[in-house]
Structure formats: C-alpha cells, structure tokens
Amino acid sequence: MLRRKLLLITIALLFSTLACRAATRLIVPDTPTPLPPTAAPPTPTLIPPTPTPTLPAEASCPVQVADILEASLNFESSSDESLEDEIYLVTYRVDGNDLGDPFFESVPTKFRDEQDDRVAHEEIWSLFTSLIPPEERDFIVGFAIITDGGSDVLASVGQSEDNAEEWLLEVDILDSDDRRALTFTLLHEFAHLMTLNSSQVPPNLAVFGDPSNDEIYQRELAACPNYFPGEGCSNSDSYVNQFFDRFWFNLYAEWQEIDVIEDKDEYYDQLDDFYNKYDDQFLSNYSATSPAEDIAEAFAFFILSPKPPADSIANQKILFFHEFPELMQLRGHILNQLCVEFPQ
Ligand SMILES: [Zn+2]
C-alpha cells in the first residue's frame, strides 16, 4: 500500500546512489599469433570464464514458499483494534542494515509495549534486509513502526519529506505477527521501491513540493506521455511504464472514472465491480486498486510462484518479470534467502 508522503523528523539527509542492474562482462577473445603455413593449425588459448554465481530457477524449499503465498492470501489480522487514523510509534534512521536514532512519538498508553519492543522492530527490519540486497535499497533512509489497528494498512512506503529521491518503509506492528504474510507484504512494498525510485520515475518536484495541490497534479499528469504514478512521469523503459502499456492501456480510462470518486463507499463498490468484471486479469482483488498496486502485487507473486503458463492475463503479469535477467537474478537471491528464513 502506498501513501502519499511521510513525515519524518529525525532523518538526516543521506545521498545515495541507485542500484545498478545486472553487470555485463566483456570477454575479449585471444588473438592467435600467425604461424607459417606448414605449421599445425593454431590452437586458440581459451580463457576460462569467471564463474558467475548460479541461482536457482525455482526455490529449493517449494513447500515453504508456497506456504508464504497461501498465508498472505488468507491473512486476517489477529488484532481486533481499530483506529481511525494510523499512528506512528517509533521511527528509525536507516544506515545500511542497521537501525539507529529511534524517534519515539507520544502514543496512547495501550501501545507502549509495541512502541518499546525493539526486538520485534529489529526482526521485521532484519527479514526485509535479508531478502533484499543492499544495493537495491540504498535509497531507504527511514523505517517506521506504525499502527492503524488490525485493519487497512499493513505496510507502506513513501518519499521522505526532505528529499524526493529518498524513501521510507513503514510497517504496522499489529499486522506483523504472521511472518509469512509479513514476507509477502515486504515483497509488495519492495516492489513499490523498485518501480518508483528515481531511476525509474524521476520525481516531479512541483508535485512533491505541494502534494495536496490538485491543479499542479492535473497539470503534470496531463504533460506526461507515459504512466504517471503520482511521484512523477515514469521513464518510457521503466518497469511500471512497460507494465502499464501492456496490461492497463485498455482499462485505464474506465479505472480513472472510478479513481476520482470521492465518496468512500461508492468508490469501493465501483472498484469491486471493476475487479469482478476483469478478475481473470488480476492476481488479487487489491491489484485492481491501481497500476502501481497491480505491479507490486504481481512482483510478489513473481517471487513466490513457480513459472506459470501464459494462459491468462493474470499469469502474463507474473511472466512479465521473467523477461528481465536482472529480476530473475534478484528472484534467485530472494528465494535462496526465503529458504534460510523459513527452514523446514
Ligand atoms: Zn502497495
């Protein structure tokens, strides 16, 4: 789930370089020295290739990975708490794999235990860092523990207040008991970071500087020839724009009519109808929320599902990611880590 923008008071400005994709290696062939015509044909000297790490096409622990997907599809929060708005319990500054400088908000007494539970906070963060390689998350500057009770938001990401190229991850601690469902959620949130970071979607500073100004938003949206997820105009070759062109081009006008409905009940009714009308195109009902949510859901399914046949548009959304060697490499890494995190 994606929020517009997060407030963060304690974050120091950190400038980060963005992840580079799969490196290509240039192999220069040996040039044989010319020999007299009578000599034996030259034997080219072969340079043994540097071994590249081989990652599995599928998980070595398929049962556990299937369980993660299953648990997330059936997830219901164990908390019956319900809050009108989400509240921040504590926000950490992120330094690589480490959490530091906790900033504690003033919270209702009933949430003090959750606020002080550093061990639980570290466990959530450590699950995220074990799955996602550091170079894929070096623009994350903050990690917040939040709650809105046992409903609605499970986790979200947003640009930091100070710098449109820096991001924060926040997780609802009351929804994080089920480690398998949490894993799916963290993969979904990472997909937002992967598809919306500034190398994919250059931030629109007019919108960033005045996020509630609809006039500016509409102007910038109209000026964008590609998919405009809200953070900016996506690059033509970005994952999200390619996904949009392939899967949303024909649905977008219909979806936009729903997206502008202000009455919440009416909006959710219409969105449900939209999902039901095209349910063979979506991997989950949440996918119909927007193209940005659809690609995030599809990415989590891509990591956690065996390669499916191309027999539905929903499955083609999983197969979309199989076309990118760097994402297959990433998938292999995450699957290996999942088998470590969820031993038999
Ligand atoms: Zn989302």
Side-chain angles (χ1 to χ4, degrees), residues 1-2 188 192 286 293:
M1 299 183 191
L2 187 68
H188 171 110
H192 284 313
Y286 193 64
E293 295 302 342

Side-chain angles (χ1 to χ4, degrees), residues 7-218:
L7 295 176
L8 188 72
I9 300 160
T10 53
I11 293 297
L13 285 180
L14 297 175
F15 293 94
S16 54
T17 52
L18 289 162
C20 53
R21 307 269 171 231
T24 46
R25 199 176 56 251
L26 187 66
I27 299 171
V28 182
D30 208 14
T31 309
T33 312
L35 293 172
T38 52
T43 311
T45 309
L46 296 176
I47 302 174
T50 313
T52 42
T54 48
L55 289 164
E58 293 303 339
S60 59
C61 60
V63 174
Q64 289 93 315
V65 172
D67 272 357
I68 294 169
L69 190 54
E70 183 76 15
S72 68
L73 296 175
N74 297 318
F75 175 73
E76 279 182 33
S77 177
S78 58
S79 168
D80 51 14
E81 190 77 45
S82 184
L83 302 178
E84 205 146 286
D85 292 312
E86 70 180 42
I87 57 172
Y88 285 76
L89 304 183
V90 53
T91 305
Y92 297 94
R93 189 169 68 82
V94 165
D95 183 9
N97 287 347
D98 299 326
L99 298 178
D101 299 341
F103 180 84
F104 295 95
E105 305 281 349
S106 168
V107 300
T109 317
K110 62 180 174 181
F111 293 125
R112 291 274 166 75
D113 286 349
E114 284 84 2
Q115 183 178 44
D116 292 337
D117 195 349
R118 174 86 182 231
V119 171
H121 307 168
E122 293 278 1
E123 275 175 9
I124 297 169
W125 177 248
S126 139
L127 177 59
F128 182 70
T129 57
S130 84
L131 299 180
I132 308 302
E135 66 274 16
E136 300 289 343
R137 53 178 159 83
D138 55 5
F139 44 80
I140 302 180
V141 297
F143 173 60
I145 296 293
I146 58 131
T147 191
D148 65 351
S151 60
D152 290 344
V153 177
L154 305 178
S156 65
V157 295
Q159 290 160 297
S160 85
E161 192 185 37
D162 300 322
N163 185 331
E165 298 195 5
E166 296 178 340
W167 288 76
L168 293 90
L169 169 67
E170 59 179 46
V171 174
D172 187 332
I173 192 155
L174 293 186
D175 294 328
S176 62
D177 284 354
D178 185 328
R179 207 157 165 270
R180 294 167 306 170
L182 174 64
T183 296
F184 181 96
T185 301
L186 292 175
L187 292 173
H188 171 110
E189 297 308 326
F190 169 68
H192 284 313
L193 296 168
M194 186 187 84
T195 56
L196 297 176
N197 75 71
S198 62
S199 72
Q200 298 277 314
V201 180
N204 183 306
L205 296 180
V207 172
F208 181 75
D210 196 356
S212 54
N213 188 323
D214 196 48
E215 202 175 309
I216 292 178
Y217 188 89
Q218 293 302 332

